[in-house]
Every structure is written in structure tokens, then in C-alpha cells.
Amino acid sequence: MGLDAVAAFAVDTLGGASMGTTWSVRLLAPGRDLRRLHAVVESELARVVAQMSNWDPDSDISRFNRASAGSWHRLPNDFWNVLDRALSIAEASDGAFDPTVGPIVDAWGFGPPGRTADLERQQCGNLAARIGWRRMQRRPQDQSILQPGDLQLDLCAIAKGYAVDLVVACLRDEGVASALVEIGGELYGYGRRADGKPWRVLVDDDGDDEPCVVELDRRAIASSGDRWHHREDADGQRLSHSIDPRLGRPAADAPHLVSVLAEDAMQADAWATALMVMGARKGFDFACGKGLAARFVDREGRECATPSFAAVLAC
């Protein structure tokens, strides 16, 4: 997914690196202090990293993952809000999305520790026994969660989307009337460009004669796919980075790409992962049944979009 290559009018641009990827903001802010806006965005992103980064050993999530069995941990607001949404989507997706999938993500080489050897079937089963979103116990009255022992949270499939939403909120608070925010391919657009049109984004570009372009008008889009993250096993078989928490291994029927449109980037981010895990056919049927705006590209390059997605395609 990328930004529309042709802009009708010049806009201001902010950017940097965070969360293991890059971020950018294209905005209409004539006369504004761009250095201040850049600092505000960086502050929001740093807060997400400090709370939810598995790569930072001092983050709140890393400390929870190392905590002893039976200990309760009070979460800061952002962490609590993201985990609450993650558990809701875990339930709605029947576990295709699961924020406790951390041990298997790490073991298959897609987490901070990395991995060079492939897992045996028995090892997969042992790791699968450690995960399960139903193991989470929460105390809403003080925003606390229980570490039952060996539970390892991983919010990478939702935290980037949440970070996009935070940046959007802070820009609005700063009085920015129009912006397109991107963090590692997850985008949210609001307001109008100088030509009066919504922000346009390219969903994917494989050299097709008719690339898929959507307009973001108070709307987010997120994509998941093994085009960017994958590895090969000892037999040279391609392994998707999308882990099926129910099986304890990379999703076997993962499509090439799934893109989801939603009211906020956090929701789009998580549902893109869930549908990826479900597979092209089952994911498409599920998305249609739930009214999700989703587009799938399978391994052969065939595309299909749910009615909700097709309705917002730009001409």
C-alpha cells in the first residue's frame, strides 16, 4: 500500500521512524509551526512504544510478559484501550486474532528474538498450549490484568493502527483541518486537499493496468500480507508471517494481501490480520457476513472485494 503518487497541490510533509517502521503525515497547515507538530507526533508515538513494544525490554508489555504467575498489573490508558479492543476482536473472530500469540510469533522467527531452525509438530503443540485470549483475566475497576503464568502478549497487529488514531487525534487537537497519516502502511485520512477532494491512496501496486485506489474521508485502511514479511522453512516452503493462533503455526491458506477499510485504524489493522489468518475464501465469506469492507488478493493474483469495500473504490 502506498500514498497516491500524484498530488494535485503541494502539501506539507512530516516524517520519521518509530515502531520498527516509518511514519509520515501529509497535511494542509499553512503558517503552522511544523517543528512543533513534528514533536507532538513523535511524543504520541513514543508513548505507544513505551507501553506496547515487544522490542523494548523496558516497555509495559515486556514487563508484563516477564512477570511472575499470579501477579496483577495495572495498565496505562492506551495499553488498556488497545487490549480491550484486541480481546473484542479475538472473540468476534473466534480466535483468528489473538493478542496472546506472542510465544508462537517469536518461535517462528517473526518476533524480537528471531529464529533459525524450524519447529517440530510437538513443539508447535506445546507452544499453542501457552496461548489463548480466554486466559486473560481483567479488573476494569482499576484497569488491571492478571499474569496467570507464561502468558505473553503481542499487540503488534493492532498497536500501529492505534498509533495512527492517536496521531490523528493530536493533529485535530492542534487545529489541523486536513491530514493523511501513515505508519508502516496503515493510513487514516480526514479533511480535504487544497483542490477540495479527499485524500487518495493506492491500496497496492503490482503493475496492474487498473490499480486499486480508495478515497479516505474520515476513514482508515490497513493491509496485511506476506509480500512484506515472510520466511522459508528448511524445505524452501514460504511461511506467512500471519500466525494462526488456533493451530500454533503460520496460516496455511493465507492470501497474498488483505486490505480493510474501517472507521478507525486500530480496527482496520486488527481485522486485516484476522481475515488474513482465516484465508482467502473463509475470510471473504466472514467479512461479507459481518459487513466488513475488505479486499482480498489470493496467491494467483485474483482479487475479490466485499460489497462494502467495492462501494468506496475511487474512480
Side-chain angles (χ1 to χ4, degrees):
M1 182 189 303
L3 304 180
D4 191 2
V6 180
F9 293 86
V11 296
D12 291 314
T13 302
L14 309 175
S18 182
M19 304 178 72
T21 186
T22 59
W23 67 267
S24 68
V25 177
R26 296 172 66 180
L27 69 166
L28 298 180
R32 301 300 302 270
D33 185 347
L34 296 182
R35 289 186 178 181
R36 169 181 161 72
L37 291 177
H38 189 279
V40 169
V41 172
E42 289 277 16
S43 177
E44 296 296 299
L45 297 178
R47 193 166 80 245
V48 175
V49 170
Q51 294 183 26
M52 290 171 268
S53 173
N54 295 78
W55 275 260
D56 182 353
D58 296 321
S59 68
D60 293 306
I61 196 170
S62 293
R63 289 198 297 270
F64 172 81
N65 288 343
R66 294 192 304 265
S68 57
S71 57
W72 283 89
H73 302 263
R74 187 168 186 173
L75 304 185
N77 288 337
D78 297 300
F79 192 165
W80 176 264
N81 291 338
V82 172
L83 181 60
D84 184 67
R85 179 69 70 89
L87 292 172
S88 295
I89 293 177
E91 182 175 14
S93 67
D94 196 25
F97 181 89
D98 192 329
T100 71
V101 75
I104 297 176
V105 171
D106 292 350
W108 281 100
F110 297 109
R115 182 174 171 81
T116 57
D118 296 302
L119 294 177
E120 299 293 337
R121 184 181 301 272
Q122 182 178 359
Q123 291 174 293
C124 292
N126 292 340
L127 287 173
R130 292 176 51 192
I131 71 171
W133 63 273
R134 290 184 176 86
R135 295 183 67 200
M136 289 296 311
Q137 294 186 45
R138 294 179 288 170
R139 290 196 312 227
Q141 62 269 27
D142 62 354
Q143 293 188 179
S144 295
I145 59 174
L146 174 69
Q147 171 57 272
D150 246 359
L151 189 70
Q152 188 174 333
L153 291 175
D154 186 328
L155 298 174
C156 292
I158 191 171
K160 273 196 308 178
Y162 182 73
V164 170
D165 295 334
L166 280 184
V167 171
V168 168
C170 82
L171 291 174
R172 283 174 163 158
D173 288 344
E174 291 290 326
V176 176
S178 177
L180 176 64
V181 178
E182 176 180 20
I183 301 177
E186 327 295 22
L187 298 106
Y188 185 100
Y190 72 94
R192 290 290 192 272
R193 303 183 306 188
D195 60 359
K197 297 180 180 179
W199 298 97
R200 293 163 60 92
V201 301
L202 189 63
V203 177
D204 71 291
D205 184 9
D206 283 332
D208 294 338
D209 293 334
E210 298 182 5
C212 181
V213 177
V214 298
E215 294 181 343
L216 297 185
D217 183 7
R218 292 177 295 176
R219 182 185 291 129
I221 187 167
S223 293
S224 181
D226 64 9
R227 176 187 309 171
W228 306 284
H229 304 292
H230 65 272
R231 58 181 292 265
E232 293 183 353
D233 64 15
D235 298 323
Q237 296 297 311
R238 188 184 185 96
L239 299 175
S240 171
H241 80 291
S242 297
I243 301 296
D244 190 334
R246 303 162 299 184
L247 301 177
R249 58 180 300 112
D253 190 35
H256 182 57
L257 180 72
V258 178
S259 301
V260 175
L261 286 160
E263 294 179 352
D264 58 73
M266 177 167 57
Q267 180 172 250
D269 194 7
W271 275 117
T273 297
L275 296 176
M276 187 79 177
V277 168
M278 291 179 193
R281 174 48 55 192
K282 291 182 179 178
F284 179 79
D285 292 342
F286 179 92
C288 288
K290 291 289 186 180
L292 297 174
R295 174 179 177 267
F296 295 75
V297 180
D298 69 15
R299 296 289 180 182
E300 286 70 44
R302 295 183 296 253
E303 304 174 13
C304 59
T306 65
S308 297
F309 192 101
V312 299
L313 287 176
C315 298

